[in-house]
Amino acid sequence: MHAFGQILKIEARLYLRDLPTLLSTIGLPTLVLVVLGLIPALRKPDPLFDGQSFVAYFAPSLLVITLAMAALNVLPTVLATYRERGVLRRLATTPASPAALLAAQLVITLLAILASAVLLVLVARLAFGVPLPRRPLGFAAAFVLGTAALLALGLLVAAVARTTKAAQALAVPLFLLAMFFGGVYLPRFLLPDFLVRIGDYTPPGVQALLDAWTGTAPQPLHLVVMAVVALIAGTVAARLFRWE
């Protein structure tokens, strides 16, 4: 436990020193929200969004930025870099096992995701009057399962990628797909219906987040799919993961 605490402290310091990663993972979604919120027309209720503003409609999609960045970009790249440089192999010969480093990375990633989500929700509420998630339990379930699904995919990339470049080559397509189907690149109401339906079941399952935020209970199937993806990808990652 002492070894894990030391590794966690070291990894946290390294993470906090990496300002570009820190700002893009935690601050970018809120920055985009603020830029959009400064446009008066986007703060007005619109029948196209069931009477809510575009800012309120788009807020759940902004959560996807952090989830995709942390789980599909940062996490697998860091772990692959450690493997390529022999850090994991060297740790295997010390009381601080490589598993402790993996656990520390997961803790830091989860804390960054949580900090970004809380910041986004608070700024949306306090600065632009966006209501807090109206189904907090449903929102929490959708957020946790969507996060778990993306983290499992990120770990799967880290499990099979032997080098940093390989990790990036595998992670970038997943990152782009998550951002696209999550409605980040193009708001979901502009997408064809069949792409919207695909996005409903593509991690992190932004439709469940949107439903819970606006007051509708998330559809159980959306949550089940996220849980299944997390379970399958996580299990495969655990079987394939190598320290060297």
Side-chain angles (χ1 to χ4, degrees), residues 16-181:
L16 292 175
R17 289 175 183 172
D18 188 357
L19 287 181
T21 297
L22 184 66
L23 294 176
S24 61
T25 302
I26 297 178
L28 183 58
T30 300
L31 176 61
V32 174
L33 175 75
V34 170
V35 171
L36 294 175
L38 293 176
I39 303 174
L42 300 183
R43 301 197 303 268
K44 296 179 180 179
D46 193 322
L48 184 62
F49 311 121
D50 295 325
Q52 60 183 337
S53 67
F54 175 79
V55 170
Y57 168 84
F58 196 56
S61 289
L62 293 176
L63 288 173
V64 178
I65 297 177
T66 291
L67 294 173
M69 281 288 298
L72 298 178
N73 192 342
V74 178
L75 180 63
T77 300
V78 169
L79 292 177
T81 299
Y82 283 166
R83 179 188 289 116
E84 185 177 14
R85 294 180 178 177
V87 175
L88 299 180
R89 184 180 65 253
R90 289 194 295 272
L91 276 176
T93 64
T94 71
S97 69
L101 177 59
L102 178 59
Q105 281 294 322
L106 285 174
V107 169
I108 292 170
T109 300
L110 288 171
L111 289 176
I113 289 172
L114 182 61
S116 179
V118 170
L119 179 64
L120 178 70
V121 171
L122 289 180
V123 171
R125 175 59 182 162
L126 297 176
F128 305 112
V130 176
L132 296 174
R134 294 173 180 172
R135 295 263 186 166
L137 293 180
F139 182 81
F143 186 75
V144 168
L145 291 174
T147 299
L150 281 184
L151 283 175
L153 291 174
L155 289 174
L156 181 57
V157 170
V160 300
R162 297 295 180 243
T163 64
T164 304
K165 289 185 178 181
Q168 293 171 342
L170 293 172
V172 166
L174 293 176
F175 173 81
L176 295 177
L177 287 174
M179 295 280 278
F180 176 75
F181 286 115

